[in-house]
Amino acid sequence: MDPENSEFQAGQHRTGGSHRAEPVAESAVEPVIEPVIEPVIEPVIEPVVEAHGLELVDAELLRGRGPWELRVTVDTPEGDGKVSIERCAEVSREIGTNLDAVDAIPTRYRLEVSSPGLDRHLGREKDLLAACGSEVRIETRRPLDGRRRFRGRLVEFANGTARIDVGGSQPVEIPFAEIGKANRVYEFTRADFARS
């Protein structure tokens, strides 16, 4: 298993009940993604992640007609993405138990704990700072100059503002508070396709 792209799905949880791994039917309704970690959930998740020597990168709650889905992304303090599947499983079990104990999610849900993948999520200011010089994709919460989606080289992140070279005469400036979703775009090289 590749530790740099580990993922563990804990199955389905029922608040106030036991953890049971069982098949989950896909929702017929497009889920609603909550862009910010809900205040009831963050205090339950973050201490568990930190107790395992990791950092909480992101948590998104997808609501739909079927079971909701809570996606939690964790990373090492070094930000190298090297979180083993075993550590993801341990964190997932503990988060699920704690969420169920406080009845934080009022319906059945599926919990997924993973480390950042190739298109690393950039949910914190320090993630954007570390991504300077890389190709990024950013979607804003509302339109800036008539558009919400930007892709280009992250030139700088300073004073809470990302500056992205999208091929124009001047870099586009996007305040951190306006970023709804941001990812690093993995740039493949010949080494990625070399036979070992």
Side-chain angles (χ1 to χ4, degrees), residues 71-85:
R71 295 180 182 165
V72 178
T73 306
V74 298
D75 201 358
T76 62
E78 297 77 30
D80 57 15
K82 294 182 178 178
V83 182
S84 70
I85 193 157

Side-chain angles (χ1 to χ4, degrees), residues 132-152:
C132 286
S134 301
E135 184 90 5
V136 297
R137 252 190 326 261
I138 294 180
E139 185 173 330
T140 58
R141 297 183 191 282
R142 58 183 166 204
L144 297 175
D145 295 327
R147 62 191 272 200
R148 292 185 59 214
R149 291 181 179 88
F150 300 87
R151 180 177 173 155

Side-chain angles (χ1 to χ4, degrees), residues 4 25 34 46 52 59 81 83 101 105-107 110 123 125 131 155 184 195:
E4 292 187 25
E34 295 296 325
E46 198 153 34
H52 286 269
V83 182
I105 301 176
T107 187
R110 186 170 58 185
E125 291 190 28
V155 177
R184 179 181 290 184
R195 292 186 182 198

Side-chain angles (χ1 to χ4, degrees), residues 74-186:
V74 298
D75 201 358
T76 62
E78 297 77 30
D80 57 15
K82 294 182 178 178
V83 182
S84 70
I85 193 157
E86 291 80 15
R87 285 181 84 186
C88 286
E90 291 169 8
V91 170
S92 178
R93 281 189 290 274
E94 197 169 330
I95 287 173
T97 299
N98 291 356
L99 287 171
D100 290 350
V102 297
D103 204 20
I105 301 176
T107 187
R108 294 170 64 105
Y109 65 100
R110 186 170 58 185
L111 173 60
E112 174 185 304
V113 174
S114 63
S115 64
L118 293 178
D119 287 341
R120 180 184 184 87
H121 177 75
L122 307 171
R124 304 169 295 178
E125 291 190 28
K126 75 181 215 174
D127 298 327
L128 286 162
L129 190 58
C132 286
S134 301
E135 184 90 5
V136 297
R137 252 190 326 261
I138 294 180
E139 185 173 330
T140 58
R141 297 183 191 282
R142 58 183 166 204
L144 297 175
D145 295 327
R147 62 191 272 200
R148 292 185 59 214
R149 291 181 179 88
F150 300 87
R151 180 177 173 155
R153 182 102 20 221
L154 181 58
V155 177
E156 178 184 38
F157 183 78
N159 301 318
T161 301
R163 295 180 68 231
I164 304 167
D165 180 1
V166 294
S169 59
Q170 294 282 29
V172 175
E173 294 190 356
I174 304 174
F176 181 74
E178 291 298 320
I179 296 174
K181 189 173 188 179
N183 294 83
R184 179 181 290 184
V185 177
Y186 186 77

